[in-house]
């Protein structure tokens, strides 16, 4: 397809877009547009395009009833999932795209939908969403979930840092969650998706399982084979829905919960007494780790993947009590808001 042909298509969509509803006019496919612009996925951005409309329709359907609501899609790329979202007749669709190369693709969809599509160029990790959605959709936290949805085929390099950041936002009821219990439908590397929903006594259970399940009801709804993507990754991909809970099991400061959970799962096959020791300086390790587990009523011989959410709650409360007894221990609680910075701090302390 030539550039002049593409301009003809854009003029055609402007005429056809005036029909009732949100049925999209005939458009070049995302694959056609990729070929036209000679665009390939950028490895440094962990891009893998999903071009099969049958699969993208299932992702949009997994989000539930989005008709009339606001949908924010993270990383639309060539717009495959965007089209599936638009077919479900939302009130508004906002797309957040970091790669400027896809702006012409998204502009075509914007014109074809009477500008119901809004394009935001930027990095979702640095984006503030507290005023992004329509005010009339705002709900109280204890009420039903608002008709606001976050959907995204997340790059592998972004997915874990992003969900950790969003879990913190949920805990503080800020960012998108200032509008209420906004639901998410996101893709993750299959291994990460399994961790998010992993139950106790399963090999996938780790810190991410505990953090996610403390603040959200998570469901692994489907698995997409890696062969469905362009270029195909070496792993399969899991689609996960997350609905924030009205009340978390552990109702404490996010950074405190993150610190205790991280350290108590740092050695998967070691006993809890070994993990607990990493919370304290070496000269106090033996005494305080035993006191921590005694206060929390946790068996020192338990393995981290055997701990329930309630046991993690007791561990957090016990650690908080020890910090109140010894204010110097507060310095061990990591307050960095950037996930990568926290990883570096942890590596220096081990």
């Amino acid at each position: 397809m030539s550039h002049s042909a593409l301009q003809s298509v854009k003029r055609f969509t402007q005429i056809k877009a005036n029909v009732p509803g949100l049925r999209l006019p005939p458009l070049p496919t995302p694959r056609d547009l990729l070929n036209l612009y000679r665009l390939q996925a950028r490895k440094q951005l962990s891009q893998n395009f999903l071009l099969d409309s049958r699969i993208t329709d299932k992702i949009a359907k997994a989000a539930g009833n989005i008709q009339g609501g606001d949908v924010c899609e993270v990383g639309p790329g060539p717009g495959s999932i965007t089209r599936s979202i638009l077919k479900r007749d939302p009130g508004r669709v906002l797309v957040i795209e970091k790669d400027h190369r896809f702006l012409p693709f998204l502009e075509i969809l914007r014109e074809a939908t009477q500008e119901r599509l809004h394009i935001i160029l930027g990095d979702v990790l640095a984006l503030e969403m507290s005023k992004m959605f329509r005010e009339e959709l705002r709900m109280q936290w204890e009420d039903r979930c608002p008709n606001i949805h976050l959907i995204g085929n997340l790059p592998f390099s972004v997915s874990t840092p992003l969900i950790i950041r969003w879990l913190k936002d949920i805990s503080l009821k800020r960012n998108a969650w200032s509008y209420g219990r906004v639901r998410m439908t996101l893709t993750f590397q299959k291994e990460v998706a399994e961790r998010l929903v992993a139950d106790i006594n399963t090999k996938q259970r780790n810190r991410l399982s505990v953090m996610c399940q403390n603040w959200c009801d998570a469901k692994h709804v489907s698995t997409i084979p890696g062969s469905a993507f362009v270029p195909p990754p070496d792993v399969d991909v899991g689609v996960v829905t997350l609905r924030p809970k009205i009340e978390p099991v552990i109702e404490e400061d996010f950074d405190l919960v993150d610190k205790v959970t991280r350290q108590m799962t740092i050695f998967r096959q070691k006993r809890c007494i070994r993990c607990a020791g990493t919370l304290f300086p070496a000269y106090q390790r033996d005494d305080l780790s035993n006191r921590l587990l005694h206060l929390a009523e946790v068996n020192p011989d338990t393995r981290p993947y055997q701990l329930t959410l309630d046991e993690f709650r007791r561990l957090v409360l016990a650690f908080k009590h020890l910090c109140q007894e010894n204010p110097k221990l507060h310095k061990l609680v990591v307050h960095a808001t950037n996930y990568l910075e926290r990883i570096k701090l942890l590596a220096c302390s081990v």
Side-chain angles (χ1 to χ4, degrees), residues 44-314:
Q44 63 268 36
L45 295 178
S46 300
Q47 289 177 337
N48 300 95
F49 305 138
L50 189 56
L51 304 177
D52 189 331
S53 62
R54 295 169 300 178
I55 296 176
T56 59
D57 285 349
K58 289 179 180 178
I59 293 175
K61 185 178 180 180
N65 182 14
I66 64 175
Q67 185 176 15
D70 280 4
V71 177
C72 176
E73 184 191 358
V74 179
S80 303
I81 298 178
T82 316
R83 297 181 188 215
S84 294
I85 293 170
L86 289 167
K87 285 192 289 186
R88 299 186 68 81
D89 200 22
R92 290 198 317 160
V93 177
L94 305 101
V95 293
I96 303 170
E97 180 53 62
K98 186 177 181 179
D99 192 339
H100 288 64
R101 297 181 301 161
F102 295 112
L103 185 57
F105 297 52
L106 301 172
E107 286 287 356
I108 290 174
L109 291 178
R110 185 181 65 82
E111 294 174 9
T113 58
Q114 304 178 62
E115 301 190 356
R116 201 180 299 190
L117 179 75
H118 301 263
I119 305 167
I120 301 170
L121 292 175
D123 187 347
V124 67
L125 287 170
L127 190 67
E128 173 59 48
M129 294 186 282
S130 61
K131 297 182 180 179
M132 183 179 292
F133 307 109
R134 287 175 290 168
E135 190 63 28
E136 59 265 29
L137 298 177
R138 189 182 298 275
M139 301 290 290
Q140 294 297 315
W141 191 262
E142 296 77 15
D143 293 340
R144 68 179 187 277
C145 296
N147 196 1
I148 299 172
H149 306 262
L150 300 181
I151 300 176
N153 173 32
L154 303 180
F156 294 158
S157 61
V158 170
S159 59
T160 300
L162 183 61
I163 195 61
I164 289 295
R165 171 172 176 158
W166 280 356
L167 287 173
K168 183 168 185 176
D169 290 339
I170 290 169
S171 75
L172 296 171
K173 300 180 178 62
R174 70 182 183 189
N175 208 356
W177 294 273
S178 64
Y179 288 86
R181 294 184 295 124
V182 173
R183 289 162 288 181
M184 297 160 277
T185 303
L186 307 170
T187 64
F188 299 88
Q189 185 176 336
K190 183 183 176 184
E191 183 181 79
V192 176
E194 291 173 343
R195 288 174 182 170
L196 289 169
V197 302
D199 205 349
I200 61 171
N201 293 316
T202 59
K203 65 179 182 179
Q204 298 93 347
R205 191 166 176 83
N206 69 349
R207 165 210 173 222
L208 193 57
S209 316
V210 177
M211 296 296 289
C212 177
Q213 293 168 30
N214 186 54
W215 278 285
C216 289
D217 293 317
K219 183 179 180 181
H220 183 180
V221 295
S222 64
T223 299
I224 306 171
S227 59
F229 293 83
V230 179
D234 296 329
V235 296
D236 293 338
V237 172
V239 180
V240 179
T241 59
L242 300 113
R243 182 179 64 182
K245 294 179 176 178
I246 294 178
E247 293 183 357
V249 177
I250 311 171
E251 296 187 86
E252 296 295 333
D253 176 76
F254 182 90
D255 289 327
L256 177 63
V257 177
D258 191 21
K259 173 66 177 180
V260 174
T261 303
R262 182 194 298 279
Q263 300 309 122
M264 290 303 302
T265 58
I266 195 169
F267 303 120
R268 174 178 169 74
Q269 296 299 334
K270 300 292 185 180
R271 298 181 303 152
C272 280
I273 188 65
R274 174 71 177 87
C275 298
T278 65
L279 284 162
F280 308 105
Y283 68 95
Q284 294 178 299
R285 187 160 294 160
D286 291 342
D287 176 50
L288 290 181
S289 57
N290 279 291
R291 283 196 63 198
L292 176 77
L293 297 181
H294 176 73
L295 287 169
E297 298 181 345
V298 170
N299 187 333
D301 294 328
T302 304
R303 283 353 189 225
Y305 60 85
Q306 297 174 315
L307 293 172
T308 65
L309 269 176
D310 189 62
E311 286 174 313
F312 275 105
R313 179 186 64 82
R314 299 200 303 265

Side-chain angles (χ1 to χ4, degrees), residues 294-343:
H294 176 73
L295 287 169
E297 298 181 345
V298 170
N299 187 333
D301 294 328
T302 304
R303 283 353 189 225
Y305 60 85
Q306 297 174 315
L307 293 172
T308 65
L309 269 176
D310 189 62
E311 286 174 313
F312 275 105
R313 179 186 64 82
R314 299 200 303 265
L315 286 165
V316 171
L317 292 174
F319 183 71
K320 182 178 180 181
H321 174 75
L322 293 175
C323 286
Q324 290 171 342
E325 282 189 351
N326 184 356
K328 291 183 180 179
L329 288 178
H330 278 291
K331 296 179 181 180
L332 296 174
V333 181
V334 182
H335 290 290
T337 57
N338 183 280
Y339 176 79
L340 296 178
E341 290 178 359
R342 295 208 300 270
I343 286 289

